[in-house]
Structure formats: C-alpha cells, structure tokens
Coordinates of all heavy atoms in Angstrom, one line a residue:
M60 N -44.0 39.2 -95.6 CA -45.6 39.3 -95.5 C -45.8 40.8 -95.8 O -45.4 41.7 -95.4 CB -46.0 38.9 -94.2 CG -47.5 39.1 -94.0 SD -48.2 38.7 -92.5 CE -48.1 36.9 -92.4
T61 N -46.7 40.9 -96.9 CA -47.4 42.1 -97.2 C -48.4 42.6 -96.3 O -48.9 41.9 -95.4 CB -47.8 42.2 -98.6 OG1 -49.0 41.2 -98.8 CG2 -46.8 41.7 -99.7
S62 N -48.9 43.9 -96.5 CA -49.9 44.3 -95.4 C -51.2 43.7 -95.7 O -52.1 43.5 -94.7 CB -50.1 45.9 -95.6 OG -50.4 46.2 -97.0
D63 N -51.4 43.0 -96.7 CA -52.6 42.2 -97.0 C -52.4 40.8 -96.7 O -53.2 39.9 -97.1 CB -53.3 42.4 -98.3 CG -52.4 42.1 -99.4 OD1 -51.2 41.8 -99.3 OD2 -52.7 42.1 -100.6
E64 N -51.2 40.4 -96.0 CA -50.9 39.1 -95.5 C -50.5 38.1 -96.6 O -50.7 36.9 -96.3 CB -51.9 38.6 -94.5 CG -52.1 39.5 -93.3 CD -53.1 39.0 -92.3 OE1 -53.8 38.0 -92.6 OE2 -52.9 39.5 -91.1
R65 N -50.1 38.4 -97.7 CA -49.5 37.6 -98.6 C -48.1 37.2 -98.2 O -47.3 38.2 -97.8 CB -49.5 38.2 -100.1 CG -50.9 38.3 -100.7 CD -50.8 39.0 -102.0 NE -50.4 40.5 -101.8 CZ -49.9 41.2 -102.8 NH1 -49.9 40.7 -104.1 NH2 -49.5 42.4 -102.6
T66 N -47.7 36.0 -98.3 CA -46.4 35.6 -97.8 C -45.6 34.9 -98.9 O -46.1 34.4 -99.9 CB -46.5 34.7 -96.8 OG1 -47.3 33.5 -97.1 CG2 -47.2 35.3 -95.5
N67 N -44.3 35.1 -98.8 CA -43.3 34.3 -99.5 C -42.1 33.9 -98.7 O -41.8 34.7 -97.8 CB -42.8 35.2 -100.8 CG -43.8 35.3 -102.0 OD1 -44.2 34.1 -102.6 ND2 -44.4 36.3 -102.0
Y68 N -41.4 32.7 -99.2 CA -40.4 32.3 -98.4 C -39.3 31.9 -99.2 O -39.4 31.5 -100.5 CB -40.9 31.1 -97.5 CG -41.9 31.3 -96.6 CD1 -43.3 31.1 -96.9 CD2 -41.6 31.7 -95.3 CE1 -44.3 31.5 -96.0 CE2 -42.6 31.9 -94.4 CZ -43.9 31.8 -94.7 OH -44.8 32.0 -93.8
A69 N -38.1 32.0 -98.7 CA -36.9 31.4 -99.4 C -37.1 29.9 -99.6 O -37.7 29.2 -98.7 CB -35.5 31.7 -98.6
E70 N -36.6 29.4 -100.7 CA -36.8 28.0 -101.0 C -36.1 27.1 -99.8 O -36.7 26.0 -99.5 CB -36.2 27.5 -102.3 CG -36.9 28.1 -103.5 CD -38.4 27.4 -103.6 OE1 -38.4 26.3 -103.3 OE2 -39.3 28.2 -103.9
S71 N -35.0 27.6 -99.2 CA -34.4 26.8 -98.2 C -35.1 26.6 -96.9 O -34.8 25.8 -96.1 CB -33.2 27.4 -97.9 OG -33.2 28.8 -97.5
V72 N -36.2 27.4 -96.7 CA -37.0 27.4 -95.5 C -38.5 27.0 -95.7 O -39.2 26.8 -94.7 CB -36.9 28.7 -94.7 CG1 -35.4 29.1 -94.4 CG2 -37.7 29.9 -95.4
K73 N -38.8 27.0 -96.9 CA -40.3 26.6 -97.2 C -40.7 25.4 -96.6 O -40.0 24.4 -96.5 CB -40.5 26.6 -98.7 CG -40.9 27.8 -99.4 CD -41.2 27.5 -100.8 CE -41.6 29.0 -101.5 NZ -41.8 28.8 -102.9
G74 N -41.7 25.3 -96.0 CA -42.3 24.2 -95.2 C -41.8 24.1 -93.8 O -42.3 23.2 -93.0
R75 N -40.8 24.8 -93.4 CA -40.2 24.8 -92.0 C -40.4 26.1 -91.3 O -40.6 26.1 -90.0 CB -38.7 24.5 -92.1 CG -38.4 23.3 -92.8 CD -36.9 22.9 -92.7 NE -36.1 23.9 -93.3 CZ -35.1 24.7 -92.6 NH1 -34.9 24.6 -91.3 NH2 -34.4 25.6 -93.3
F76 N -40.5 27.2 -91.9 CA -40.5 28.6 -91.2 C -41.8 29.1 -91.6 O -42.4 29.0 -92.6 CB -39.4 29.5 -91.7 CG -38.0 29.2 -91.2 CD1 -37.8 28.0 -90.7 CD2 -37.0 30.1 -91.5 CE1 -36.5 27.7 -90.2 CE2 -35.8 29.9 -90.9 CZ -35.5 28.6 -90.5
T77 N -42.4 30.0 -90.7 CA -43.6 30.6 -90.8 C -43.6 32.1 -90.2 O -43.3 32.3 -89.1 CB -44.8 29.9 -90.2 OG1 -45.0 28.6 -90.6 CG2 -46.2 30.7 -90.5
I78 N -44.0 33.1 -91.1 CA -43.9 34.4 -90.6 C -45.4 34.8 -90.2 O -46.3 34.4 -91.0 CB -43.4 35.5 -91.7 CG1 -43.2 36.9 -91.3 CG2 -44.2 35.3 -93.0 CD1 -42.6 37.8 -92.1
S79 N -45.5 35.5 -89.2 CA -46.8 35.9 -88.8 C -46.7 37.3 -87.9 O -45.6 37.7 -87.6 CB -47.5 35.0 -87.9 OG -46.7 34.7 -86.6
R80 N -47.8 37.8 -87.7 CA -47.8 39.1 -86.9 C -49.0 39.1 -86.0 O -50.2 38.6 -86.4 CB -47.7 40.4 -87.8 CG -49.0 40.6 -88.7 CD -48.8 41.8 -89.7 NE -49.9 42.0 -90.4 CZ -49.9 42.6 -91.6 NH1 -48.8 43.1 -92.1 NH2 -51.0 42.8 -92.3
E81 N -48.9 39.9 -84.9 CA -50.0 40.2 -84.0 C -50.1 41.7 -83.9 O -49.3 42.3 -83.1 CB -49.9 39.5 -82.7 CG -50.1 38.1 -82.7 CD -50.1 37.4 -81.3 OE1 -50.9 37.9 -80.4 OE2 -49.3 36.6 -81.1
N82 N -50.9 42.3 -84.6 CA -51.0 43.9 -84.7 C -51.4 44.5 -83.3 O -50.6 45.5 -83.0 CB -52.0 44.3 -85.7 CG -51.6 43.9 -87.1 OD1 -50.4 43.8 -87.6 ND2 -52.6 43.9 -88.1
A83 N -52.2 43.8 -82.6 CA -52.6 44.3 -81.3 C -51.3 44.4 -80.3 O -51.3 45.2 -79.4 CB -53.6 43.4 -80.7
K84 N -50.3 43.5 -80.5 CA -49.1 43.4 -79.6 C -48.0 44.1 -80.4 O -46.8 44.2 -79.7 CB -48.7 42.0 -79.4 CG -49.8 41.2 -78.6 CD -49.3 39.9 -78.2 CE -50.3 39.1 -77.4 NZ -49.9 37.7 -77.1
N85 N -48.1 44.7 -81.6 CA -47.1 45.3 -82.2 C -45.9 44.4 -82.5 O -44.7 44.9 -82.3 CB -46.6 46.6 -81.6 CG -47.7 47.6 -81.4 OD1 -48.6 47.7 -82.2 ND2 -47.7 48.4 -80.2
T86 N -46.1 43.1 -82.8 CA -45.1 42.1 -82.8 C -45.2 41.3 -84.0 O -46.3 40.9 -84.5 CB -45.1 41.2 -81.5 OG1 -45.0 42.1 -80.4 CG2 -44.1 40.3 -81.6
V87 N -44.0 41.0 -84.6 CA -43.9 40.0 -85.7 C -43.1 38.9 -85.3 O -42.3 38.9 -84.5 CB -43.1 40.8 -86.9 CG1 -42.9 39.8 -87.9 CG2 -43.8 41.9 -87.4
Y88 N -43.5 37.6 -85.8 CA -42.9 36.4 -85.3 C -42.3 35.6 -86.5 O -42.7 35.8 -87.6 CB -43.9 35.5 -84.7 CG -44.5 36.1 -83.5 CD1 -45.9 36.7 -83.6 CD2 -44.0 36.1 -82.2 CE1 -46.6 37.2 -82.6 CE2 -44.6 36.7 -81.3 CZ -45.9 37.3 -81.3 OH -46.4 37.7 -80.3
L89 N -41.3 34.9 -86.4 CA -40.8 33.9 -87.2 C -40.7 32.6 -86.5 O -39.8 32.4 -85.6 CB -39.4 34.3 -87.8 CG -38.9 33.3 -88.9 CD1 -39.8 33.4 -90.1 CD2 -37.5 33.6 -89.2
Q90 N -41.7 31.6 -86.8 CA -41.6 30.4 -86.2 C -40.7 29.5 -87.1 O -40.8 29.4 -88.3 CB -43.0 29.8 -86.2 CG -43.0 28.3 -85.7 CD -42.8 28.3 -84.2 OE1 -43.2 29.1 -83.4 NE2 -42.0 27.3 -83.8
M91 N -39.7 28.9 -86.4 CA -38.7 28.1 -87.1 C -38.8 26.6 -86.5 O -38.4 26.4 -85.4 CB -37.2 28.7 -86.9 CG -37.2 30.1 -87.4 SD -35.5 30.8 -87.4 CE -35.2 30.7 -85.5
N92 N -39.1 25.7 -87.5 CA -39.2 24.3 -87.1 C -38.2 23.5 -87.9 O -37.6 24.0 -88.8 CB -40.5 23.8 -87.5 CG -41.7 24.4 -86.6 OD1 -41.5 24.7 -85.5 ND2 -42.8 24.5 -87.1
S93 N -37.9 22.3 -87.4 CA -36.9 21.4 -88.1 C -35.7 22.1 -88.3 O -35.1 22.1 -89.5 CB -37.6 20.8 -89.3 OG -38.7 20.1 -88.9
L94 N -35.1 22.8 -87.4 CA -33.9 23.6 -87.8 C -32.8 22.8 -88.1 O -32.4 21.6 -87.6 CB -33.6 24.5 -86.4 CG -34.4 25.7 -86.2 CD1 -34.2 26.2 -84.9 CD2 -34.0 26.8 -87.2
K95 N -31.9 23.4 -89.1 CA -30.7 22.7 -89.5 C -29.5 23.6 -89.3 O -29.6 24.8 -89.1 CB -30.8 22.6 -91.1 CG -32.0 21.8 -91.5 CD -32.1 21.8 -93.0 CE -33.3 21.1 -93.5 NZ -33.5 21.1 -95.0
P96 N -28.3 23.0 -89.1 CA -27.2 23.8 -88.9 C -27.0 24.9 -89.9 O -26.4 26.0 -89.6 CB -26.0 22.8 -89.1 CG -26.6 21.5 -88.7 CD -28.0 21.5 -89.2
E97 N -27.3 24.7 -91.3 CA -27.4 25.7 -92.2 C -28.2 27.0 -92.0 O -28.1 28.0 -92.6 CB -27.9 25.2 -93.7 CG -27.1 23.9 -94.0 CD -27.8 22.7 -93.5 OE1 -28.6 22.2 -94.2 OE2 -27.5 22.1 -92.5
D98 N -29.1 26.9 -90.9 CA -30.0 28.0 -90.5 C -29.2 28.9 -89.6 O -29.7 30.0 -89.3 CB -31.3 27.5 -89.9 CG -32.1 26.8 -90.8 OD1 -32.2 27.2 -91.9 OD2 -32.7 25.7 -90.3
T99 N -27.9 28.6 -89.2 CA -27.3 29.4 -88.3 C -26.9 30.7 -88.9 O -26.4 30.7 -90.0 CB -25.9 28.7 -87.9 OG1 -26.2 27.5 -87.1 CG2 -25.1 29.6 -87.1
A100 N -27.3 31.7 -88.2 CA -27.1 33.1 -88.7 C -27.6 34.1 -87.7 O -28.3 33.9 -86.7 CB -28.0 33.4 -90.0
V101 N -27.3 35.4 -87.9 CA -28.0 36.5 -87.3 C -29.2 36.8 -88.1 O -29.3 37.1 -89.3 CB -27.1 37.7 -87.1 CG1 -27.9 38.9 -86.4 CG2 -25.8 37.4 -86.4
Y102 N -30.4 36.9 -87.3 CA -31.7 37.1 -87.9 C -32.1 38.4 -87.6 O -32.1 38.9 -86.5 CB -32.7 36.1 -87.4 CG -32.5 34.7 -88.1 CD1 -31.5 33.8 -87.8 CD2 -33.5 34.2 -89.0 CE1 -31.3 32.7 -88.3 CE2 -33.3 33.1 -89.6 CZ -32.2 32.2 -89.2 OH -32.1 31.0 -89.8
Y103 N -32.6 39.3 -88.7 CA -33.1 40.6 -88.6 C -34.6 40.6 -89.1 O -34.9 40.1 -90.1 CB -32.2 41.5 -89.5 CG -30.7 41.5 -89.2 CD1 -29.9 40.6 -89.7 CD2 -30.2 42.4 -88.3 CE1 -28.6 40.7 -89.4 CE2 -28.9 42.5 -88.0 CZ -28.0 41.6 -88.5 OH -26.6 41.5 -88.2
C104 N -35.3 41.5 -88.4 CA -36.6 41.8 -88.8 C -36.6 43.1 -89.5 O -35.7 44.1 -89.2 CB -37.7 41.8 -87.7 SG -37.6 43.1 -86.5
N105 N -37.5 43.3 -90.5 CA -37.5 44.5 -91.2 C -39.0 45.0 -91.5 O -39.8 44.1 -91.7 CB -36.9 44.2 -92.7 CG -36.9 45.3 -93.6 OD1 -38.0 45.4 -94.4 ND2 -36.1 46.4 -93.5
A106 N -39.3 46.3 -91.5 CA -40.6 46.8 -91.9 C -40.5 47.9 -92.8 O -39.6 48.9 -92.6 CB -41.3 47.2 -90.5
D107 N -41.1 47.7 -93.9 CA -41.3 48.7 -94.8 C -42.7 49.4 -94.6 O -43.7 48.9 -95.0 CB -41.2 48.3 -96.3 CG -41.1 49.4 -97.3 OD1 -40.2 50.1 -97.3 OD2 -42.0 49.6 -98.1

C-alpha cells in the first residue's frame, strides 16, 4: 500500500488478503481469509 492508499496484491492472495492501516494507532494490518496450507510462511511487515 502506498502513502496515498493504492494497493496491489500477489496473484496467489488476491481476493483473500487485505492490507490496511490505522495511522492513529501506528499499526498496519494484514487480514487473511480462506487460508490455505500454501500460505504457511513467516510474514514480515515492511515500511519505506
């Protein structure tokens, strides 16, 4: 997600995952629905 809130997703998670943020809480979220075994991984957040 860019600073003007444009978003892009990997094809493998489109329609299932949603990135969002709450600036007042200094927090970023990744909502993951309909999880699959292939989603198993260590997940990292990143900020530029």
Side-chain angles (χ1 to χ4, degrees):
M60 175 184 285
T61 62
S62 58
D63 58 351
E64 299 190 341
R65 293 173 294 165
T66 60
N67 281 291
Y68 298 90
E70 288 296 325
S71 59
V72 307
K73 273 184 179 176
R75 300 189 297 120
F76 290 12
T77 304
I78 186 171
S79 63
R80 67 185 181 202
E81 292 188 52
N82 293 337
K84 296 182 178 180
N85 302 325
T86 302
V87 174
Y88 304 100
L89 184 67
Q90 178 67 45
M91 305 185 295
N92 298 326
S93 301
L94 283 162
K95 304 175 180 179
E97 306 91 89
D98 297 319
T99 295
V101 177
Y102 284 72
Y103 301 89
C104 69
N105 172 269
D107 188 65

